[in-house]
Amino acid sequence: MRAFLTALFLASPAADWEATSSPICTLTHETAEAHIHLTYDPGKPLYTLAITQKSAPWHPTPWFAMRFIGPNETVISTPQHALSDSNQTLNVADSGFGNVLDGLQFNATALAFTEAQTVTIPLEGAAPEVQKFRACTAAQLS
């Protein structure tokens, strides 16, 4: 039984959100569909978001948006995104990510989408890790 549970654990993608603070602030999450990776680099200063799809590449489109569903619903969009890794990863960078962090911390689900595709990101367990990420970025700013 122990071997079965170990194999099941190792075969399942990590579902937890995780914030780290060294040497740059990061926030990561893994779903069945995608790997989500946010960073804050105080040396630039710059926030980045990378969403890597596991099965299909992103199709090039003129815009990228995120819709946050829950008690603090909002939609944000940008034409300032880029694809990398043979179009598996969609990247966004900006000097401020407050609206993204609010969406992740105060809602239940995020939909990362273009006119061609949607990736669903469950936000269960995100709030405390987003708060750690915010604390890291605030410490880096002081």
Side-chain angles (χ1 to χ4, degrees):
M1 180 66 143
R2 180 180 291 167
F4 171 75
L5 291 175
T6 301
L8 181 63
F9 175 76
L10 292 175
S12 301
D16 293 339
W17 287 85
E18 182 179 16
T20 61
S21 59
S22 179
I24 62 173
C25 306
T26 64
L27 179 64
T28 59
H29 183 59
E30 190 92 16
T31 72
E33 285 183 87
H35 176 76
I36 296 86
H37 187 90
L38 282 87
T39 64
Y40 174 71
D41 184 345
K44 296 194 177 173
L46 190 67
Y47 290 88
T48 64
L49 168 65
I51 302 173
T52 303
Q53 291 204 90
K54 294 180 178 178
S55 58
W58 289 95
H59 300 292
T61 61
W63 53 266
F64 166 72
M66 291 187 79
R67 177 174 181 216
F68 298 99
I69 303 168
N72 194 25
E73 289 194 18
T74 191
V75 177
I76 57 176
S77 64
T78 182
Q80 303 296 317
H81 65 287
L83 301 177
S84 63
D85 304 322
S86 299
N87 293 352
Q88 290 298 125
T89 302
L90 186 143
N91 303 283
V92 177
D94 201 339
S95 59
F97 256 37
N99 51 1
V100 173
L101 296 175
D102 286 349
L104 295 172
Q105 187 171 359
F106 302 118
N107 288 291
T109 303
L111 302 176
F113 64 99
T114 65
E115 61 191 19
Q117 294 158 285
T118 301
V119 172
T120 302
I121 305 167
L123 300 178
E124 181 178 344
E129 296 302 306
V130 172
Q131 189 55 44
K132 287 180 191 175
F133 182 83
R134 286 181 191 266
C136 175
T137 63
Q140 301 284 354
L141 292 171
S142 8

